[in-house]
């Protein structure tokens, strides 16, 4: 390493009712990959927003020293001018625009008001090559997956001559392979002298690529661990994060599994835009009372498409097939009918589907189950408050009050609100699509406990997750999907990562 690039000292930042950062110190060496880790709400994103000028000078106290010089950034442009580029937790690309337009948005390749389209395309191609993306710059963002969108964000960062790259949970939405590619890219950047600050809840990958790890807890710096000097293990990091040992990652459960509650068969669907393209092929699966089933699959396998098409046909065209509850065929032709039939769906994409950001925690929680707090359509606001308070404390949503707007919560706590909202509808069949994405280890344990409690009450749980250890730890039975088809079904006692991977990949044909 060749000296310090960044020193943040005694950073304190408050929001109404919350001290998000309390005298935080962070020291980053030139050319290193520095991980920032801590529970949901610990202050990681806030610290990075202070660094990049999103929270401007004057709104916090403490000093930012970059390459030996004190910086008082008033906005993000000022930090970018010095080579600091931040990729936020929630991606900020515009879905309707092309990759090229997104990359050069606000930085158009133009003279005298005329955008040089050819130049834009050529430059975009070069940038995409650097991040290993082999698609046309003209493709719209909405037509590519999250993993590829993440790479476009990084290509965008590279278009700005980045010296210090900040990635706020870049791999939380990515599968194993895409995550690995992205981390390799960071290691490549390191060789070119680019410094990175990486925030992630995936401890294994952090340990693999980081040179140093700084742990935050409740807005305070706990410690900085250095590779090769300190003993760096998951246990050690978890202890620093949560302040205690966490020996079991999954709560114990003695399942009590009953009759089949929900079943679909011959379930097929076509792409919503390109209606010649079949997405789901004759899917058949069932889930019993008190059972937690998992659906494993690689990105593009059709898991979310299956879940959403079942949840009131909210995905896909020309959907055919039958759904049964307690052996009787049910109608789930729209979301209202699905909810009436006791089905709830916790979306993987909280921003687009699960959460109304400008509304309060309370309103978000009680929204889907409004009929429960209303009597003859008159809203019982006392009841609403009681319910929201109890769910907030039950799943430990970190917010000063239930009146806090969802948009002011940390990413992981937003996810808990989405979960809380559907738990509140008291569903019989709960579909959870990546329920712990972006959630810290301690809170994951709490969420697993809630899922187990629901199962123990006789509910049927369908869990989609890209993290195989999570499925193996939680599910009684796991189905695998590939290319829109169910390719395997494995009971808990027979399941392991190798078998699931085999069925999730091409091997299932053999
Ligand atoms: N704009 C805001 N207004 C009010 N409170 C905020 C705002 N931004 C963050 N907070 C609060 O500051 C604290 C730290 O939040 P922050 O987003 O930095 O957490 P985090 O460590 O990034 O968590 P996560 O892992 O969930 O993303 C939280 O209590 C959060 O609710
Ligand atoms: Mg965050």
């Amino acid at each position: 390493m060749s000296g310090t690039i960044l020193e943040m000292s005694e950073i304190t930042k408050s929001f109404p009712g919350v001290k998000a950062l309390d005298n935080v110190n962070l020291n980053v060496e030139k050319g290193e990959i520095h991980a920032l880790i801590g529970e949901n709400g610990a202050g990681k994103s806030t610290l990075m927003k202070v660094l990049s000028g999103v929270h401007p000078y004057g709104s916090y106290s403490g000093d930012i020293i970059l390459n030996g010089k004190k910086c008082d950034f008033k906005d993000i442009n000022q930090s970018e001018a010095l080579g600091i580029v931040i990729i936020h937790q929630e991606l900020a690309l515009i879905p309707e625009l092309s990759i090229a337009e997104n990359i050069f948005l606000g930085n158009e390749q133009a003279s005298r008001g005329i955008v040089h389209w050819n130049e834009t395309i050529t430059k975009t191609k070069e940038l995409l090559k650097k991040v290993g993306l082999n698609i046309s710059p003209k493709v719209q963002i909405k037509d590519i997956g999250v993993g590829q969108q993440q790479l476009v964000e990084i290509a965008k960062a590279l278009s700005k001559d980045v010296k210090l790259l900040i990635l706020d949970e870049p791999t939380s939405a990515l599968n194993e392979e895409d995550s690995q590619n992205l981390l390799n890219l960071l290691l490549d950047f390191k060789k070119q002298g680019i410094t990175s600050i990486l925030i992630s809840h995936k401890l294994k990958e952090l340990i693999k690529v980081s040179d140093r790890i700084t742990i935050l807890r409740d807005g305070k710096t706990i410690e900085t661990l250095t590779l090769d000097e300190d003993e760096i293990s998951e246990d050690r990091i978890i202890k620093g994060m949560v302040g205690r040992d966490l020996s079991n990652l999954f709560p114990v459960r003695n399942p009590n599994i009953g009759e089949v509650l929900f079943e679909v068969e011959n379930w097929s669907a076509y792409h919503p835009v390109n209606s010649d393209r079949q997405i789901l092929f004759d899917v058949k699966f069932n889930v019993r009372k008190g059972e937690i089933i998992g659906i494993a699959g690689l990105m593009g396998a059709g898991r979310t498409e299956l879940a959403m098409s079942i949840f009131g046909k909210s995905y896909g065209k020309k959907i055919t097939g039958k759904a049964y509850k307690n052996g009787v065929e049910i109608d789930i032709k729209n979301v209202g009918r699905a909810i009436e039939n006791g089905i709830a769906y916790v979306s993987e994409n909280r921003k687009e589907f699960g959460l109304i950001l400008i509304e309060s925690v309370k309103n978000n929680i009680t929204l889907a189950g409004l009929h429960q707090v209303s009597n003859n359509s008159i809203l019982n606001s006392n009841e609403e408050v009681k319910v929201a308070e109890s769910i907030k404390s039950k799943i430990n949503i970190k917010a000063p009050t239930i009146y806090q707007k969802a948009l002011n919560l940390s990413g992981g706590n937003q996810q808990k609100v989405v979960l809380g909202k559907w738990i509140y509808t008291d569903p019989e069949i709960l579909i959870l699509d990546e329920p712990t994405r972006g959630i810290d280890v301690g809170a994951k344990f709490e969420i697993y406990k809630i899922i187990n409690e629901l199962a123990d009450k006789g509910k049927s749980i369908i869990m989609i997750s890209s993290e195989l250890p999570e499925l193996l730890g939680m599910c009684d039975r796991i189905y695998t999907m590939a290319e829109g088809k169910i390719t395997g079904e494995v009971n808990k006692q027979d399941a392991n990562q190798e078998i699931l991977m085999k069925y999730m990949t091409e091997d299932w044909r053999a």
Side-chain angles (χ1 to χ4, degrees), residues 91-106:
L91 294 183
L93 299 171
I94 300 176
E96 308 298 330
L97 294 184
S98 69
I99 295 177
E101 286 166 317
N102 265 286
I103 288 184
F104 289 102
L105 194 70

Side-chain angles (χ1 to χ4, degrees), residues 338-390:
I339 295 178
E340 274 166 39
N341 277 305
I343 304 177
Y345 170 62
V346 176
S347 159
E348 64 169 340
N349 189 339
R350 59 179 172 253
K351 209 165 151 195
E352 210 171 319
F353 302 108
L355 202 65
I356 306 174
L357 288 172
I358 55 162
E359 287 282 351
S360 66
V361 170
K362 171 177 78 78
N363 289 356
N364 270 291
I365 290 178
T366 52
L367 202 69
L370 267 185
H371 60 281
Q372 297 198 30
V373 283
S374 57
N375 208 334
N376 298 330
S377 336
I378 300 165
L379 212 58
N380 182 339
S381 40
N382 284 342
E383 194 56 27
E384 216 191 8
V385 168
K386 252 199 330 223
V387 165
E389 291 284 8
S390 98

Side-chain angles (χ1 to χ4, degrees), residues 4-9 63-71:
T4 304
I5 181 169
L6 170 75
E7 217 184 312
M8 296 182 81
S9 61
D63 290 331
I64 301 174
I65 314 279
L66 189 74
N67 290 314
K69 282 198 207 86
K70 186 170 181 302
C71 297

Side-chain angles (χ1 to χ4, degrees), residues 354-463:
L355 202 65
I356 306 174
L357 288 172
I358 55 162
E359 287 282 351
S360 66
V361 170
K362 171 177 78 78
N363 289 356
N364 270 291
I365 290 178
T366 52
L367 202 69
L370 267 185
H371 60 281
Q372 297 198 30
V373 283
S374 57
N375 208 334
N376 298 330
S377 336
I378 300 165
L379 212 58
N380 182 339
S381 40
N382 284 342
E383 194 56 27
E384 216 191 8
V385 168
K386 252 199 330 223
V387 165
E389 291 284 8
S390 98
I391 288 187
K392 173 174 179 279
S393 77
K394 203 165 158 192
I395 56 177
N396 204 359
I397 296 171
K398 212 169 157 194
T401 71
I402 54 167
Y403 302 102
Q404 179 72 290
K405 287 199 173 107
L407 108 136
N408 291 336
L409 300 190
S410 79
N413 282 292
Q414 290 181 356
Q415 182 68 13
K416 289 194 217 169
V417 172
V418 178
L419 192 64
K421 153 178 157 180
W422 289 111
I423 288 174
Y424 172 59
T425 64
D426 197 27
E428 283 173 272
I429 301 143
L430 180 62
I431 310 175
L432 300 163
D433 196 348
E434 306 283 359
T436 64
R437 171 174 294 171
I439 295 211
D440 71 62
V441 280
K444 266 187 186 165
F445 192 84
E446 297 305 315
I447 286 178
Y448 295 148
K449 274 206 313 218
I450 296 166
I451 296 173
N452 285 348
E453 276 167 29
L454 290 169
D456 290 344
K457 280 204 272 175
K459 316 279 180 188
S460 299
I461 315 276
I462 301 164
M463 188 164 170

Side-chain angles (χ1 to χ4, degrees), residues 236-385:
R236 164 85 189 259
I237 295 172
I238 291 172
K239 194 169 176 191
M241 283 171 68
V242 303
R244 60 187 155 85
D245 284 313
L246 199 71
S247 45
N248 268 327
L249 291 181
F250 300 97
V252 211
R253 163 169 164 259
N254 294 311
N256 182 6
I257 297 172
E259 297 292 302
V260 170
L261 178 72
F262 181 70
E263 191 166 14
V264 300
E265 61 180 31
N266 294 119
W267 198 261
S268 295
Y270 288 78
H271 192 273
V273 182
N274 181 357
S275 60
D276 291 334
R277 208 169 112 210
Q278 191 166 356
I279 300 291
L280 297 170
F281 298 81
D282 280 330
V283 171
K284 179 180 164 73
F285 76 89
N286 64 44
V287 54
R288 293 163 179 277
K289 285 197 178 104
E291 187 182 36
I292 304 177
I293 63 158
I295 300 181
L298 300 176
M299 209 178 274
R303 296 165 300 165
T304 294
E305 290 79 359
L306 174 63
M308 288 180 67
S309 66
I310 290 171
F311 186 57
K313 305 200 170 170
S314 32
Y315 171 92
K317 281 234 173 83
K318 299 194 284 186
I319 299 174
T320 51
K322 290 186 168 159
Y324 302 90
K325 196 169 119 185
N326 292 317
V328 180
E329 189 175 351
I330 52 168
D331 161 22
I332 44 176
K333 68 168 180 285
N334 56 43
V335 172
R337 302 288 309 169
I339 295 178
E340 274 166 39
N341 277 305
I343 304 177
Y345 170 62
V346 176
S347 159
E348 64 169 340
N349 189 339
R350 59 179 172 253
K351 209 165 151 195
E352 210 171 319
F353 302 108
L355 202 65
I356 306 174
L357 288 172
I358 55 162
E359 287 282 351
S360 66
V361 170
K362 171 177 78 78
N363 289 356
N364 270 291
I365 290 178
T366 52
L367 202 69
L370 267 185
H371 60 281
Q372 297 198 30
V373 283
S374 57
N375 208 334
N376 298 330
S377 336
I378 300 165
L379 212 58
N380 182 339
S381 40
N382 284 342
E383 194 56 27
E384 216 191 8
V385 168

